[in-house]
Amino acid sequence: MSQLWSPNVRELTPYVPGEQPREKLIKLNTNENPYPPAPGVERVLREFSADHLRRYPDPTSSALREALAQALGTTSANVFAGNGSDEVLALAFQAFFRQDKPLAMPDISYSFYPVYCRMYDIDSQRFALDDQWRVDLDALASDSGGVIFANPNAPTGHGHGREAIAALLDKVTDRVVLVDEAYVDFGGESAVPLVERYPNLLVTGTFSKSRSLAGLRLGYAVGSPELIEGLTRVKDSFNSYPVDALASAIGIAALEDGDYFEATRQAVITTRERTRQRLDDLGFEVLPSQTNFVLASHPKHDAAQLFVGLRERGILVRHFNTETLRDHLRISIGTDDEMDSLIEVLSDLCR
Ligand SMILES: *Cc1c(COP(=O)(O)O)cnc(C)c1O
């Protein structure tokens, strides 16, 4: 704590991401994709001329937004691009959620949301999940300064269908509803087609998970031109060039390869279902998942101890030491081989 910091910064509790270890571990803790990015990405890296970097990138990322619009079935006027979806979320909090009323969110969701609330001085009202650990959309519809949730949700894995999101939007019309679709490509149903009907809907997405580009930092939002303009106003008051020229070229190459995208996301889904079955065989309770992770607990074994045991045997998963989650492990879906190693160690630890 330093007196040199702005008062507001002294009050912050920053987000703590999953560990990026130096030693070689089987890394199932940050929901990264186990497969490399599309082959076209390698090609861009080989052929990109360093001379391009002399100049500033396109401040509006128009080529990337075009490619995104095409992939998502919308138009580029409805698309905003940023330096990872975390950055897009930060801009959205600033642009839309600094209201007199608190922001409505689930009590269990992406733990970055409360961090942004602190950062931007936004009160939040947190609503419990329902008895099956699904986001309670009816509760989120109550009076607020805005609504945010991940769909599918993290770290629970459940996703609501488009009709349910539309029903929420029929009730909430005068404030922004932000649906964070970081995991939607692993079995969720996207709300992007609703953007045309609901000018207060903002959908965010990322290249970090289903496009295997967490290290690149690319994210986006889809919404009405009114919302995109709001984001752009904040962006241009903060950093006019968030997406660099190389990231933009790589993002476009990743979006172009639809077959590779399809094959890798299907592989993750298949491995997830196989993993769920095998965890179930070991006595774990595993929530259904439409994401690239599962949330599991064992009635006879302490999650924190399993976490340590796995770590000692070279496997890193995520354990959240909070009241609601401390009995659970969040396990990212790796390759079949990696998940075989996980199951082998867990069978040992649960003996
Ligand atoms: C991973 C994740 C993000 C962040 O994605 P980046 O594009 O890597 O910043 C946002 N929301 C949720 C729910 C996530 O799990």
Side-chain angles (χ1 to χ4, degrees), residues 30-31 83-87 89 110 113 150 152 154 180 182-183 204-209 214 217-219 293 330:
T30 51
N31 300 342
N83 202 358
S85 76
D86 285 343
E87 182 185 87
L89 289 167
Y110 188 34
Y113 306 150
D180 178 346
Y183 298 104
T204 58
T206 177
F207 286 68
S208 297
K209 277 101 188 202
R217 313 308 302 132
L218 266 188
F293 58 82
R330 191 196 68 188

CSV table of all heavy atoms in Angstrom, one decimal, residues 30-31 83-87 89 110 113 150 152 154 180 182-183 204-209 214 217-219 293 330, ligand 1:
chain,number,residue,atom,x,y,z
A,30,THR,N,-6.5,-22.9,-16.7
A,30,THR,CA,-6.9,-21.5,-17.2
A,30,THR,C,-7.8,-21.6,-18.5
A,30,THR,O,-8.0,-20.6,-19.2
A,30,THR,CB,-5.7,-20.6,-17.4
A,30,THR,OG1,-4.8,-21.3,-18.3
A,30,THR,CG2,-5.1,-20.2,-16.2
A,31,ASN,N,-8.4,-22.8,-18.7
A,31,ASN,CA,-9.3,-23.0,-19.9
A,31,ASN,C,-8.7,-22.6,-21.2
A,31,ASN,O,-9.4,-22.1,-22.1
A,31,ASN,CB,-10.6,-22.2,-19.6
A,31,ASN,CG,-11.3,-22.7,-18.4
A,31,ASN,OD1,-11.0,-23.8,-17.9
A,31,ASN,ND2,-12.2,-21.8,-17.8
A,83,ASN,N,-8.5,-5.6,-27.3
A,83,ASN,CA,-7.3,-6.4,-26.9
A,83,ASN,C,-7.6,-7.4,-25.8
A,83,ASN,O,-7.3,-7.2,-24.7
A,83,ASN,CB,-6.3,-5.3,-26.4
A,83,ASN,CG,-4.9,-5.7,-26.4
A,83,ASN,OD1,-4.6,-6.8,-26.9
A,83,ASN,ND2,-4.1,-4.7,-26.0
A,84,GLY,N,-8.3,-8.4,-26.3
A,84,GLY,CA,-8.8,-9.4,-25.3
A,84,GLY,C,-10.2,-9.0,-24.8
A,84,GLY,O,-10.5,-7.9,-24.8
A,85,SER,N,-11.0,-10.0,-24.5
A,85,SER,CA,-12.4,-9.6,-24.1
A,85,SER,C,-12.4,-9.0,-22.7
A,85,SER,O,-13.3,-8.2,-22.4
A,85,SER,CB,-13.4,-10.8,-24.3
A,85,SER,OG,-13.2,-11.7,-23.2
A,86,ASP,N,-11.3,-9.3,-21.9
A,86,ASP,CA,-11.2,-8.6,-20.6
A,86,ASP,C,-11.2,-7.0,-20.9
A,86,ASP,O,-11.8,-6.3,-20.1
A,86,ASP,CB,-10.0,-9.0,-19.9
A,86,ASP,CG,-10.1,-10.4,-19.2
A,86,ASP,OD1,-11.3,-10.8,-19.1
A,86,ASP,OD2,-9.1,-10.9,-18.9
A,87,GLU,N,-10.4,-6.6,-21.9
A,87,GLU,CA,-10.4,-5.2,-22.2
A,87,GLU,C,-11.8,-4.7,-22.7
A,87,GLU,O,-12.2,-3.6,-22.3
A,87,GLU,CB,-9.3,-4.9,-23.2
A,87,GLU,CG,-9.2,-3.4,-23.5
A,87,GLU,CD,-8.2,-3.1,-24.6
A,87,GLU,OE1,-8.7,-3.1,-25.8
A,87,GLU,OE2,-7.1,-2.8,-24.3
A,89,LEU,N,-14.6,-5.9,-21.9
A,89,LEU,CA,-15.5,-5.8,-20.7
A,89,LEU,C,-15.2,-4.6,-19.9
A,89,LEU,O,-16.1,-3.9,-19.5
A,89,LEU,CB,-15.3,-7.1,-19.8
A,89,LEU,CG,-15.8,-8.4,-20.4
A,89,LEU,CD1,-15.3,-9.6,-19.6
A,89,LEU,CD2,-17.3,-8.4,-20.4
A,110,TYR,N,-18.0,-15.0,-13.6
A,110,TYR,CA,-16.6,-14.7,-13.9
A,110,TYR,C,-16.1,-13.7,-12.8
A,110,TYR,O,-16.8,-12.6,-12.6
A,110,TYR,CB,-16.5,-14.0,-15.3
A,110,TYR,CG,-15.1,-13.7,-15.8
A,110,TYR,CD1,-14.0,-14.6,-15.5
A,110,TYR,CD2,-14.9,-12.7,-16.6
A,110,TYR,CE1,-12.8,-14.3,-16.0
A,110,TYR,CE2,-13.6,-12.4,-17.1
A,110,TYR,CZ,-12.6,-13.2,-16.8
A,110,TYR,OH,-11.3,-12.9,-17.3
A,113,TYR,N,-15.8,-9.6,-12.9
A,113,TYR,CA,-16.8,-8.6,-12.9
A,113,TYR,C,-16.8,-7.7,-11.6
A,113,TYR,O,-16.8,-6.5,-11.7
A,113,TYR,CB,-18.2,-9.2,-13.1
A,113,TYR,CG,-18.4,-10.0,-14.3
A,113,TYR,CD1,-19.3,-11.1,-14.2
A,113,TYR,CD2,-17.7,-9.8,-15.5
A,113,TYR,CE1,-19.5,-11.9,-15.4
A,113,TYR,CE2,-17.9,-10.7,-16.6
A,113,TYR,CZ,-18.8,-11.7,-16.5
A,113,TYR,OH,-19.0,-12.5,-17.6
A,150,ALA,N,-22.1,-14.5,-17.6
A,150,ALA,CA,-21.4,-15.3,-18.6
A,150,ALA,C,-22.4,-16.4,-19.0
A,150,ALA,O,-23.1,-17.0,-18.2
A,150,ALA,CB,-20.1,-15.9,-18.1
A,152,PRO,N,-22.4,-19.6,-21.9
A,152,PRO,CA,-22.5,-20.4,-20.6
A,152,PRO,C,-21.7,-19.8,-19.5
A,152,PRO,O,-20.8,-19.0,-19.8
A,152,PRO,CB,-21.8,-21.7,-21.1
A,152,PRO,CG,-21.9,-21.8,-22.5
A,152,PRO,CD,-21.9,-20.4,-23.0
A,154,ALA,N,-19.3,-19.4,-16.1
A,154,ALA,CA,-18.1,-19.9,-15.5
A,154,ALA,C,-18.1,-19.6,-14.0
A,154,ALA,O,-18.6,-18.5,-13.6
A,154,ALA,CB,-16.9,-19.2,-16.1
A,180,ASP,N,-21.7,-12.4,-21.7
A,180,ASP,CA,-20.3,-12.8,-22.0
A,180,ASP,C,-20.2,-14.2,-22.5
A,180,ASP,O,-20.4,-15.2,-21.8
A,180,ASP,CB,-19.5,-12.6,-20.7
A,180,ASP,CG,-18.1,-13.0,-20.7
A,180,ASP,OD1,-17.6,-13.6,-21.7
A,180,ASP,OD2,-17.3,-12.7,-19.8
A,182,ALA,N,-17.7,-16.1,-23.7
A,182,ALA,CA,-16.3,-16.6,-23.8
A,182,ALA,C,-16.3,-18.1,-24.2
A,182,ALA,O,-15.4,-18.6,-24.9
A,182,ALA,CB,-15.6,-16.4,-22.5
A,183,TYR,N,-17.3,-18.8,-23.8
A,183,TYR,CA,-17.3,-20.3,-23.9
A,183,TYR,C,-18.3,-20.8,-24.9
A,183,TYR,O,-18.5,-22.0,-25.0
A,183,TYR,CB,-17.5,-21.0,-22.6
A,183,TYR,CG,-16.4,-20.6,-21.6
A,183,TYR,CD1,-16.6,-19.7,-20.6
A,183,TYR,CD2,-15.2,-21.2,-21.8
A,183,TYR,CE1,-15.6,-19.4,-19.7
A,183,TYR,CE2,-14.1,-20.9,-20.9
A,183,TYR,CZ,-14.4,-20.0,-19.9
A,183,TYR,OH,-13.3,-19.6,-19.1
A,204,THR,N,-20.3,-10.3,-25.7
A,204,THR,CA,-18.8,-10.3,-25.9
A,204,THR,C,-18.3,-11.7,-26.2
A,204,THR,O,-18.9,-12.7,-25.8
A,204,THR,CB,-18.1,-9.7,-24.6
A,204,THR,OG1,-18.5,-10.6,-23.5
A,204,THR,CG2,-18.5,-8.3,-24.3
A,205,GLY,N,-17.2,-11.7,-26.8
A,205,GLY,CA,-16.6,-13.0,-27.2
A,205,GLY,C,-15.0,-12.8,-27.2
A,205,GLY,O,-14.5,-11.7,-27.1
A,206,THR,N,-14.4,-14.0,-27.3
A,206,THR,CA,-12.9,-14.0,-27.3
A,206,THR,C,-12.3,-15.0,-28.2
A,206,THR,O,-12.9,-16.0,-28.6
A,206,THR,CB,-12.4,-14.3,-25.8
A,206,THR,OG1,-11.0,-14.3,-25.8
A,206,THR,CG2,-13.0,-15.6,-25.3
A,207,PHE,N,-11.1,-14.7,-28.6
A,207,PHE,CA,-10.3,-15.6,-29.4
A,207,PHE,C,-9.4,-16.5,-28.5
A,207,PHE,O,-8.7,-17.4,-29.0
A,207,PHE,CB,-9.3,-14.9,-30.3
A,207,PHE,CG,-9.9,-14.2,-31.5
A,207,PHE,CD1,-10.8,-13.1,-31.4
A,207,PHE,CD2,-9.7,-14.7,-32.8
A,207,PHE,CE1,-11.4,-12.5,-32.5
A,207,PHE,CE2,-10.2,-14.1,-33.9
A,207,PHE,CZ,-11.1,-13.0,-33.8
A,208,SER,N,-9.5,-16.3,-27.2
A,208,SER,CA,-8.6,-17.0,-26.3
A,208,SER,C,-8.9,-18.5,-26.1
A,208,SER,O,-8.1,-19.3,-25.9
A,208,SER,CB,-8.7,-16.3,-24.9
A,208,SER,OG,-8.2,-15.0,-25.0
A,209,LYS,N,-10.2,-18.8,-26.2
A,209,LYS,CA,-10.6,-20.2,-25.9
A,209,LYS,C,-10.8,-21.0,-27.1
A,209,LYS,O,-10.0,-21.9,-27.5
A,209,LYS,CB,-11.8,-20.2,-24.9
A,209,LYS,CG,-11.4,-20.0,-23.5
A,209,LYS,CD,-11.6,-18.6,-23.0
A,209,LYS,CE,-11.0,-18.5,-21.6
A,209,LYS,NZ,-11.7,-17.3,-20.9
A,214,ALA,N,-5.1,-17.4,-26.7
A,214,ALA,CA,-5.1,-16.7,-25.4
A,214,ALA,C,-3.9,-15.8,-25.3
A,214,ALA,O,-3.9,-14.7,-24.8
A,214,ALA,CB,-5.1,-17.7,-24.3
A,217,ARG,N,-4.3,-12.0,-27.3
A,217,ARG,CA,-5.2,-11.0,-26.7
A,217,ARG,C,-6.1,-10.3,-27.8
A,217,ARG,O,-5.8,-9.2,-28.3
A,217,ARG,CB,-4.3,-9.9,-26.0
A,217,ARG,CG,-3.3,-10.3,-25.0
A,217,ARG,CD,-3.8,-11.3,-24.0
A,217,ARG,NE,-4.9,-10.8,-23.2
A,217,ARG,CZ,-6.0,-11.5,-23.0
A,217,ARG,NH1,-6.2,-12.7,-23.5
A,217,ARG,NH2,-6.9,-10.9,-22.3
A,218,LEU,N,-7.1,-11.1,-28.1
A,218,LEU,CA,-8.1,-10.5,-29.0
A,218,LEU,C,-9.5,-10.9,-28.5
A,218,LEU,O,-9.8,-12.0,-28.2
A,218,LEU,CB,-8.0,-11.1,-30.4
A,218,LEU,CG,-7.2,-10.4,-31.5
A,218,LEU,CD1,-7.4,-11.2,-32.9
A,218,LEU,CD2,-7.5,-9.0,-31.7
A,219,GLY,N,-10.3,-9.9,-28.4
A,219,GLY,CA,-11.7,-10.1,-28.0
A,219,GLY,C,-12.6,-9.1,-28.8
A,219,GLY,O,-12.1,-8.3,-29.5
A,293,PHE,N,-14.4,-26.7,-19.8
A,293,PHE,CA,-14.0,-27.1,-18.5
A,293,PHE,C,-15.2,-27.9,-17.8
A,293,PHE,O,-16.3,-27.8,-18.3
A,293,PHE,CB,-13.6,-25.9,-17.7
A,293,PHE,CG,-14.7,-24.9,-17.5
A,293,PHE,CD1,-15.7,-25.1,-16.5
A,293,PHE,CD2,-14.7,-23.8,-18.3
A,293,PHE,CE1,-16.7,-24.1,-16.4
A,293,PHE,CE2,-15.8,-22.9,-18.2
A,293,PHE,CZ,-16.7,-23.0,-17.2
A,330,ARG,N,-12.2,-26.9,-10.7
A,330,ARG,CA,-12.5,-26.6,-12.1
A,330,ARG,C,-11.4,-27.1,-13.0
A,330,ARG,O,-10.2,-26.8,-12.8
A,330,ARG,CB,-12.6,-25.1,-12.3
A,330,ARG,CG,-13.2,-24.8,-13.7
A,330,ARG,CD,-13.0,-23.3,-14.1
A,330,ARG,NE,-11.6,-23.1,-14.4
A,330,ARG,CZ,-11.1,-21.9,-14.6
A,330,ARG,NH1,-11.9,-20.8,-14.6
A,330,ARG,NH2,-9.8,-21.7,-14.8
B,1,LIG,C1,-11.5,-16.3,-20.4
B,1,LIG,C2,-12.7,-15.4,-20.1
B,1,LIG,C3,-12.7,-14.1,-20.5
B,1,LIG,C4,-11.5,-13.4,-21.0
B,1,LIG,O1,-11.0,-13.6,-22.2
B,1,LIG,P1,-9.8,-12.8,-22.8
B,1,LIG,O2,-10.3,-12.5,-24.2
B,1,LIG,O3,-8.7,-13.8,-22.7
B,1,LIG,O4,-9.5,-11.5,-22.0
B,1,LIG,C5,-13.9,-13.3,-20.4
B,1,LIG,N1,-15.0,-13.9,-19.8
B,1,LIG,C6,-15.0,-15.1,-19.3
B,1,LIG,C7,-16.2,-15.6,-18.7
B,1,LIG,C8,-13.8,-15.9,-19.5
B,1,LIG,O5,-13.8,-17.1,-18.9
